[in-house]
């Protein structure tokens, strides 16, 4: 769940492949549900565990039960990035390292890892590998939060 920078809209997920966008002034859905499935295949799609707005509120990053990172472009109304197998288990938390620039992402999952991703490297060299991996949790990571400076993050786990 997250609220955009102007506090006009809220997004949330409910363990299905959809993100709900809510107009906070009227508490009604502003537009149709944002579908993160590929080609509308809801039977093979994975549930969304975590969502965050980018600093300019033009994109949403999501982490899925299948260990995918999904970036949805609100302006184009479509998924513009999908990183499969970003984690070996479900991604419980996602966030932007710096809300002013949306190039660096942090993710935390049930594989006990916190990963750093540089979106500028997505799709290069045929693989989407993390820019960094932090190990140390004995159980799954439940939440990852950034200080917002692009450097520091804090994680919470089931341990």
């Amino acid at each position: 769940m997250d609220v955009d920078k102007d506090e006009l809209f809220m997004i949330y997920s409910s363990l299905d492949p959809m993100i709900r966008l809510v107009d906070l002034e009227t508490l009604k859905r502003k537009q149709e549900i944002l579908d993160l499935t590929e080609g509308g295949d809801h039977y093979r799609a994975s549930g969304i565990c975590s969502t965050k707005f980018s600093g300019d509120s033009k994109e949403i990053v999501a982490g899925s039960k299948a260990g995918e990172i999904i970036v949805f472009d609100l302006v184009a109304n479509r998924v513009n990035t999908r990183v499969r197998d970003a984690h070996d288990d479900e991604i419980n938390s996602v966030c932007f390292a710096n809300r002013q620039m949306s190039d660096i992402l942090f993710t935390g999952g049930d594989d006990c890892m916190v990963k750093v991703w540089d979106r500028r490297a997505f799709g290069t060299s045929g693989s989407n590998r993390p820019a960094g991996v932090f190990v140390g949790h004995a159980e799954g990571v439940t939440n990852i939060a950034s200080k917002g400076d692009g450097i520091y993050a804090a994680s919470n786990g089931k341990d």
Side-chain angles (χ1 to χ4, degrees):
M1 182 179 93
D2 196 19
V3 176
D4 76 317
K5 68 176 178 138
D6 297 322
E7 298 182 356
L8 298 174
F9 301 103
M10 178 181 75
I11 53 172
Y12 69 95
S13 59
S14 183
L15 294 180
D16 61 17
M18 313 291 182
I19 294 176
R20 282 89 176 156
L21 179 67
V22 178
D23 181 338
L24 290 176
E25 186 173 321
T26 63
L27 295 179
K28 295 184 180 177
R29 290 190 184 137
K30 176 191 177 291
Q31 60 182 335
E32 63 185 67
I33 294 171
L34 308 175
D35 187 352
L36 303 186
T37 61
E38 291 184 271
D41 188 356
H42 297 274
Y43 295 106
R44 296 170 36 139
S46 179
I48 302 301
C49 298
S50 180
T51 59
K52 292 289 184 214
F53 277 108
S54 62
D56 60 7
S57 299
K58 292 181 181 179
E59 292 180 312
I60 298 170
V61 64
S64 80
K65 289 185 70 63
E68 288 181 312
I69 300 169
I70 304 164
V71 180
F72 189 90
D73 184 330
L74 287 166
V75 176
N77 199 32
R78 66 177 178 84
V79 172
N80 67 11
T81 305
R82 185 179 301 271
V83 180
R84 299 185 195 288
D85 302 319
H87 282 261
D88 292 335
D89 207 334
E90 61 189 58
I91 297 175
N92 295 320
S93 188
V94 295
C95 71
F96 290 93
N98 183 337
R99 281 212 144 183
Q100 303 311 313
M101 297 176 60
S102 58
D103 291 331
I104 307 296
L105 306 171
F106 293 128
T107 59
D110 270 349
D111 58 2
C112 308
M113 307 243 182
V114 171
K115 295 186 178 183
V116 181
W117 303 88
D118 187 341
R119 292 182 56 199
R120 295 167 293 195
F122 283 173
T124 61
S125 304
S127 68
N128 292 319
R129 295 191 298 176
V133 178
F134 297 100
V135 296
H137 283 283
E139 297 289 333
V141 177
T142 56
N143 192 36
I144 181 88
S146 173
K147 182 178 176 184
D149 61 359
I151 300 171
Y152 293 103
S155 62
N156 181 60
K158 298 174 186 177
D159 49 359

